[in-house]
Amino acid sequence: MAPSTPENGLDKAAFKDLVATFGFQMTPQDEADYFALVKGMEDEVHEVETLPAYIDPRLVPSVATPVSARTYSVPDKSDNPLNAWSHRFTLKDDAAVATGILAGRTVALKDNISVAGIPLTLGTHPYQLSTSPDMPYPVPSIDAPIVTRLVESGGVILGTSTCENYCMSGLSDTSATGPVENPWLKGYAAGGSSSGSGALLAISAVKKWHQKRSLPLDEGQLAEGVDLAIGCDQGGSIRFPVAYSGVYGLKPTHGLVPYTGIGSLHPICDYAGPMATSISDVALLLSAIAGYDGIDPRATPETPLRKNVPAYHTLLEAAIAEKQASGGWTPTTAGKGLRVGLLKEGLALPKLDPNVAAVVRAAAAKFERLGATVVDVSAPLHSKGGAIWTATMRGAAADVFLASKAPDLPAFTTTEVAAPALTQEWFDIMTKSSPMVVTAALGSAYMSDTARFPHRYRSKAMAHLAQLRAAYDAILADVDVLLLPVTPSVGPPHTIKAAGETGNVSALAMYELNLGVSDNTAPFNVTGHPALAMPGGWAPAATSEGSGESKKLPVGIQLVGKHHDEVGVLLAASIWEVAGLGLDEE
């Protein structure tokens, strides 16, 4: 193996400095021996670095649309009035469209998912991620497994959807391209960080809602949407957009859907999942994308192999059909046998809008009218869930989402995404665009200092994570699902009116607005429970500056179930809708 040189590797002076940081006293022989051993480690690292790049065969791009034939465009504002599209392209397999379970349904992918030949932006600014001075954004050479599965299932991928800056916002105004608009009310948050995916789905929901009521609608302000979408969720980033935009989204059980080839915050909280305009479509899309890919370390022994993945949509249909056959699918009988736990702490958020609380309590009452048993349940540690989320991973999160650090277990992490240079220019840009990213960088640097935070801090946090998981499990042993709000309010007005223009809003206020919405969502990211967000009703929107009459926006309700009981969660949601859709509750 080729030895390192003093210019680019360890020399004896640098080794002496290293030893001094430990305070070790060494004999000349020990010093020589340990220098040779550490230098040998360095040489082996450099040896591996010189090997040719390797792509796992399971990540080779889909041949249905070869990379050479993948053309893309950045949509014009007139074709993208909600700023919900990042890049437009078409990826499909005509044979699969004719036979697959998705049968030509159109799909949008959050722009943190690798698609070979298509720029990957992570919602941030040009040249922050790219390893090439000639390329504003990195262009992956792999298809994430979730992409291949969508194409093999007959889906037609129409592009990537706008996501928030480094996926670090629960609202929708931090993307480098500017705010993503709520399709129900322009100037208001569509929810993040899968903001574009939620908005593109809601376009058809808005159109149908207005058509059903013969209400006027300027469809030119919405443009083209999609049937289905993929979101990613580290603290609520599937559930926020669907709650704010009045559609449906599932954060599956941890590891059920492979996260390989997707921009990560931290493996402990990463999820990819289905977003749709109905419960049945959520189940259908989950069937298309679930199952261990043989690579993702987030999978557990309970995660089914791809060939053993249940047909969630078929199981849901069968469960409904069984109830229908016995006459138990009516607005007064559909809920019989179902037990729902109304989570006390979920309704005790200090900033919970009373109108949102009223919608959730009305949802509980609706379950009771359907014949379900609703009981008040309590998990006191739920109120510490956000702190547990922070303590388990914040020390390493910036290394993962800014520098693409690979998981500590075997995995495949792209080497095509560069870490940004954390310069003054970077700080100035990100403070205007997303103070959450700067906070993560500073916080991770501070919390990763083991002199201040020995590893026992995280070890204790992991123990309390297990305690929180056990607390939910204990409740779910007695009830089928937990019911609680998704967000503390409906979508608020945009703070950032255009890309990078924060006005007079402080970094602290921006952080609290964007990440202060996750108290009821982030706990389930670290405990791994499946959580569905769906429309539950309406509440008044906060009046934005200079606006006139108050308008309403959708309120999301959340159903949480046992690990790997996605069908049970989807069935409970379907039961609730027997008595009418949430957005019918006007």
Side-chain angles (χ1 to χ4, degrees), residues 2-6 8-10 39 42-43 46:
S4 301
T5 64
N8 65 12
L10 185 69
K39 192 166 180 59
E42 179 188 48
D43 291 342
H46 287 312

Side-chain angles (χ1 to χ4, degrees), residues 7 76 80 157 199 271 319 388 400 423 496 538 574:
E7 289 75 25
D76 185 80
N80 193 24
I157 300 173
Y271 298 76
I388 293 171
V400 176
T423 61
I496 301 176
W538 301 86
S574 301

Side-chain angles (χ1 to χ4, degrees), residues 181-189 206 491 494 541-542 550-553:
E181 300 290 350
N182 191 308
W184 294 96
L185 189 57
K186 190 174 181 180
Y188 285 75
V206 171
H494 291 314
S550 175
K551 297 184 179 181
K552 291 186 176 182
L553 283 170

Side-chain angles (χ1 to χ4, degrees), residues 243-321:
Y244 287 143
S245 297
V247 287
Y248 302 76
L250 176 71
K251 181 197 76 62
T253 301
H254 195 225
L256 177 60
V257 175
Y259 207 83
T260 306
I262 303 176
S264 169
L265 177 61
H266 193 282
I268 203 171
C269 69
D270 290 331
Y271 298 76
M275 302 168 68
T277 58
S278 69
I279 296 165
S280 59
D281 277 353
V282 168
L284 179 70
L285 187 51
L286 182 63
S287 299
I289 61 176
Y292 181 45
D293 63 357
I295 304 172
D296 186 13
R298 297 163 186 81
T300 71
E302 294 176 294
T303 305
L305 297 174
R306 178 64 183 155
K307 64 182 180 180
N308 297 329
V309 168
Y312 295 99
H313 60 299
T314 301
L315 293 175
L316 178 62
E317 291 166 0
I320 292 172

Side-chain angles (χ1 to χ4, degrees), residues 402-567:
L402 283 176
S404 297
K405 177 182 180 292
D408 292 330
L409 295 172
F412 188 99
T413 301
T414 178
T415 58
E416 295 161 325
V417 177
L422 304 188
T423 61
Q424 183 64 44
E425 180 184 12
W426 179 88
F427 171 82
D428 292 340
I429 290 172
M430 297 310 300
T431 293
K432 289 181 180 179
S433 302
S434 182
M436 292 69 70
V437 177
V438 179
T439 303
L442 294 172
S444 287
Y446 181 70
M447 293 176 64
S448 64
D449 181 353
T450 55
R452 292 187 177 94
F453 297 98
H455 293 305
R456 65 178 175 80
Y457 277 80
R458 185 169 186 267
S459 296
K460 186 172 184 183
M462 294 293 279
H464 287 304
L465 186 162
Q467 181 186 16
L468 180 61
R469 175 172 172 151
Y472 296 140
D473 287 344
I475 297 171
L476 288 164
D478 186 55
V479 300
D480 298 295
V481 290
L482 303 177
L483 170 64
L484 66 160
V486 181
T487 58
S489 72
V490 296
H494 291 314
T495 300
I496 301 176
K497 308 298 182 183
E501 295 182 10
T502 54
N504 295 321
V505 181
S506 70
L508 176 60
M510 279 288 295
Y511 188 97
E512 291 176 342
L513 284 167
N514 281 272
L515 293 184
V517 296
S518 63
D519 287 346
N520 273 342
T521 52
F524 302 111
N525 284 80
V526 290
T527 66
H529 293 84
L532 175 78
M534 59 186 289
W538 301 86
T543 304
S544 61
E545 184 179 347
S547 65
E549 61 177 300
S550 175
K551 297 184 179 181
K552 291 186 176 182
L553 283 170
V555 174
I557 60 174
Q558 185 173 198
L559 296 176
V560 178
K562 302 174 182 69
H563 293 99
H564 290 285
D565 188 24
E566 276 74 11
V567 173

Side-chain angles (χ1 to χ4, degrees), residues 23-280:
F24 294 160
Q25 299 295 319
M26 292 188 178
T27 67
Q29 184 62 54
D30 285 343
E31 184 176 303
D33 289 349
Y34 284 115
F35 171 74
L37 290 166
V38 175
K39 192 166 180 59
M41 293 180 191
E42 179 188 48
D43 291 342
E44 289 180 332
V45 170
H46 287 312
E47 183 180 14
V48 173
E49 181 64 17
T50 64
L51 295 176
Y54 172 74
I55 295 179
D56 190 294
R58 291 164 289 192
L59 305 178
V60 170
S62 170
V63 297
T65 305
V67 176
S68 60
R70 297 184 183 185
T71 59
Y72 61 86
S73 64
V74 177
D76 185 80
K77 180 70 174 177
S78 61
D79 299 320
N80 193 24
L82 301 179
N83 192 36
W85 288 108
S86 178
H87 288 82
R88 296 299 307 268
F89 56 90
T90 300
L91 200 60
K92 65 176 180 176
D93 181 335
D94 288 332
V97 166
T99 60
I101 61 171
L102 297 184
R105 308 291 291 280
T106 56
V107 187
L109 303 170
K110 184 177 181 179
D111 195 4
N112 67 334
I113 299 173
S114 294
V115 183
I118 307 299
L120 181 72
T121 78
L122 301 185
T124 197
H125 306 268
Y127 298 104
Q128 283 200 17
L129 306 173
S130 183
T131 57
S132 168
D134 302 320
M135 225 180 280
Y137 292 103
V139 177
S141 55
I142 65 168
D143 281 348
I146 203 169
V147 174
T148 301
R149 292 177 181 185
L150 288 166
V151 173
E152 291 175 345
S153 299
V156 179
I157 300 173
L158 293 185
T160 49
S161 60
T162 306
C163 68
E164 297 307 293
N165 214 309
Y166 281 104
C167 305
M168 286 288 289
S169 170
L171 303 182
S172 66
D173 54 5
T174 70
S175 172
T177 59
V180 174
E181 300 290 350
N182 191 308
W184 294 96
L185 189 57
K186 190 174 181 180
Y188 285 75
S193 61
S194 307
S195 44
S197 287
L200 290 169
L201 281 174
I203 288 172
S204 63
V206 171
K207 289 179 180 179
K208 289 177 183 177
W209 192 89
H210 281 76
Q211 290 167 358
K212 184 177 179 180
R213 291 157 181 79
S214 300
L215 295 174
L217 178 67
D218 183 356
E219 296 194 10
Q221 294 299 308
L222 298 176
E224 182 184 20
V226 290
D227 302 319
L228 308 166
I230 301 297
C232 301
D233 190 316
Q234 281 84 21
S237 291
I238 288 173
R239 290 161 288 165
F240 298 147
V242 299
Y244 287 143
S245 297
V247 287
Y248 302 76
L250 176 71
K251 181 197 76 62
T253 301
H254 195 225
L256 177 60
V257 175
Y259 207 83
T260 306
I262 303 176
S264 169
L265 177 61
H266 193 282
I268 203 171
C269 69
D270 290 331
Y271 298 76
M275 302 168 68
T277 58
S278 69
I279 296 165
S280 59

